[in-house]
Amino acid sequence: MTLSVKHILSARDLTKKDVDLILQNARALKEISYRPIKKVPTLRGKQVLLCFFEDSTRTRLSFDIAAKRLSADTAVITKSGSSMAKGETILDTIKNLAAMQADIIVIRHKEAGVPWEVAKAFPQISVINAGDGMHEHPTQALLDLMTIQDAKGGVAGLNVTIAGDIFHSRVARSNMILLKKMGAKVHVCAPKTFLPADIDKYGVAVHTRLENAVKASDVLMMLRIQMERQDGFFFPSAREYSKYFGLTREIMKFAKRDLVIMHPGPVNRGLEIEPEIADGGQSVILDQVENGVAVRMALLYLLCGGKEHE
Amino acid sequence: MTEKGVEIGIGKGPSPQAEGFFLASLEKHEDNFMITKHLMSEAQMDESLAKMAKAIIRRNKNMDEVALIGIRSRGVPLAEWLAKKVKEVLKQPVDVGSLDINLYRDDLSEVDEQPVVRKTELPFSIGGKGIILVDDVLYTGRTIRAALDALIDFGRPKFVQLAVMVDRGWREIPIQADYVAKKLKTTATENVKVMMAEFDGVNQIVVKDKK
């Protein structure tokens, strides 16, 4: 059994079989995190390059921990503190690092498409997209899918709503693609300014009132308001956004009793979600973080495997 | 299960670890292999496991401190079967766990595809316990080497013993079993197949060889 792809760039590239294979391995590998010795020797001597040209805590840490649990070595490069600050181009930077014999490159960049360019430049190295601009974040979609399946026993036929800043969200894009592929009914809910112009292409139901979306949902994924990507005209004020699109206990009165609440983090407490709900019994936010490590272990394991590719 | 690939003669081909793939590969090679010997029927397996259970109890006075751990895949139903036989004699249950050794294999850089990792389930602490590893066929010894490495990551057992259904020889590392139901000489092309109802639809042990 092997993946149909050499790189993990987009949720679009993965077949259903790939997804099942990744999650099957992730579920088995998750157990390692509970052992007294949280490490297996499987990827001894493999080099994973973590290129985070955009800020990240949990994704970077998640990949780092995943690699280390499998005994791979990691090297981290960030934008500040690297030679990129001295004007070196991304490809030059990575080329130099790849010359140090990387087996896998994990890359996050603020521009869409960069991981594809890197994959093209280094055909013999597997590249994992850890978030490119407003485009995609496939490993997040995989860990979200795993969390939904574990919480609900499956995903096909479930009503899953993604609510908030869809426009700026690579998490939303990868999730819409992957959830549709795996048979979920996907809804989005956002103010019109937060809906991408091509939202029709995703084949999702669109709501502009949160209570309507909540009523229909089995799973509700609240997105983070990305303050760093706002330039003022998407919503009048944080308070107004929170009033109409924040998940409050008031809105939760419309929800099914077994509604599962997710958030990719980091949470803006009190903005898109009330703290009581983020920490409440229906929230699986911390499961998402935990599954993130397991999914990334599975990907590193599957991509590192096998003989040298010709 | 590491040896299986070699045993069924697919050599360095795709790893047979994934159950689906394993069955498919068996079918694929069915044409080239035929059953040449029937080693044990289900009744004979049952009888052997009962004998093995008695030997285990004789050797280990303090059975409260002993657990059986089956090596995935076919060691697991065997361990459960063996535990049933132990219980019949002792009138008390014995802990049973399962161990997946794929992450500890020494040939991961040589196989074409990564074997699918399956769950390791040890619902008890192994520290200070006597562990009896259970597997179907003892061949090169490499699976057991990997299993020992895997086991040690969960704690420090008081001792480890090994129980196998068939010892077919051809060891590549210095490992031997403490309890063997059937010992036999094999040729390089032969494949000893412990078939388990859970995976193969029937409980029996056969030898296959190239036509």
Side-chain angles (χ1 to χ4, degrees), chain A residues 1 25 35 42 301 305 307, chain B residues 103-104 113-115 117 154:
Chain A
M1 293 261 248
N25 278 289
R35 295 185 184 180
T42 317
Y301 171 69
K307 289 181 190 154
Chain B
L103 295 169
Y104 296 85
E113 300 174 348
Q114 292 290 65
V117 181
F154 287 89

Side-chain angles (χ1 to χ4, degrees), chain A residues 56-248:
Chain A
S56 163
T57 1
R58 88 203 57 213
T59 305
R60 196 178 96 192
L61 213 59
S62 183
F63 271 108
D64 201 10
I65 290 171
K68 283 172 176 156
R69 296 238 157 113
L70 293 171
S71 298
D73 295 309
T74 57
V76 182
I77 171 166
T78 56
K79 192 174 179 193
S80 58
S82 75
S83 286
M84 285 180 68
K86 299 178 188 165
E88 196 178 33
T89 67
I90 306 167
L91 282 186
D92 275 337
T93 302
I94 296 174
K95 235 177 232 167
N96 279 285
L97 293 166
M100 299 173 197
Q101 303 305 321
D103 297 289
I104 290 190
I105 294 176
V106 177
I107 182 161
R108 166 171 288 192
H109 199 276
K110 67 177 196 311
E111 301 294 343
V114 169
W116 275 261
E117 288 307 311
V118 173
K120 230 189 282 167
F122 307 103
Q124 73 288 12
I125 304 174
S126 285
V127 176
I128 301 178
N129 179 1
D132 61 324
M134 300 176 353
H135 185 212
E136 280 228 43
H137 192 355
T139 63
Q140 176 75 38
L142 285 164
L143 73 89
D144 285 339
L145 178 68
M146 176 171 172
T147 309
I148 294 171
Q149 286 180 341
D150 287 353
K152 290 290 193 183
V155 73
L158 285 187
N159 287 288
V160 182
T161 298
I162 306 170
D165 184 356
I166 311 287
F167 179 78
H168 292 104
S169 176
R170 54 195 175 210
V171 175
R173 284 184 179 77
S174 288
N175 259 311
M176 288 191 284
I177 295 162
L178 194 67
L179 286 166
K180 288 280 289 180
K181 184 175 292 185
M182 301 310 283
K185 292 177 206 147
V186 181
H187 307 244
V188 294
C189 176
K192 280 183 181 148
T193 49
F194 273 164
L195 286 173
D198 64 346
I199 190 71
D200 302 343
K201 286 190 195 143
Y202 289 94
V204 298
V206 178
H207 302 263
T208 45
R209 290 180 69 88
L210 189 57
E211 60 262 40
N212 293 341
V214 164
K215 248 185 248 176
S217 302
D218 299 300
V219 176
L220 177 60
M221 211 178 273
M222 298 303 295
L223 297 177
R224 181 173 68 95
I225 293 295
Q226 305 188 36
M227 288 307 199
E228 72 276 17
R229 292 192 218 273
Q230 311 298 340
D231 31 20
F233 53 82
F234 288 97
F235 57 88
S237 75
R239 260 181 75 187
E240 187 175 327
Y241 180 84
S242 164
K243 185 175 168 196
Y244 290 104
F245 289 94
L247 187 60
T248 59

Side-chain angles (χ1 to χ4, degrees), chain B residues 77-161:
Chain B
L78 278 173
E80 280 158 9
W81 197 343
L82 186 57
K84 216 172 82 187
K85 292 291 153 194
V86 171
K87 192 184 166 187
E88 278 172 21
V89 179
L90 287 180
K91 311 287 177 223
Q92 68 180 50
V94 56
D95 282 334
V96 185
S98 62
L99 195 63
D100 182 275
I101 57 100
N102 280 312
L103 295 169
Y104 296 85
R105 287 170 55 161
D106 60 5
D107 60 348
L108 284 177
S109 56
E110 286 169 34
V111 296
D112 284 335
E113 300 174 348
Q114 292 290 65
V116 176
V117 181
R118 277 151 306 147
K119 280 191 179 134
T120 288
E121 285 162 317
L122 299 175
F124 45 81
S125 163
I126 69 160
K129 262 213 165 107
I131 299 299
I132 299 173
L133 286 174
V134 184
D135 205 4
D136 52 356
V137 180
L138 181 55
Y139 183 23
T140 60
R142 287 179 194 267
T143 300
I144 306 305
R145 202 265 332 141
L148 290 170
D149 273 1
L151 201 59
I152 298 315
D153 276 358
F154 287 89
R156 184 176 186 273
K158 192 164 177 223
F159 58 79
V160 183
Q161 298 170 358

Side-chain angles (χ1 to χ4, degrees), chain B residues 3 14 25 30 41 48 74 77 132 145 147 164 175 183 186 189 191:
Chain B
E3 301 97 340
S25 76
E30 203 80 326
S41 64
S48 300
R74 285 168 183 73
I132 299 173
R145 202 265 332 141
V164 298
I175 275 172
K183 207 167 188 157
T186 55
T189 59
N191 167 31

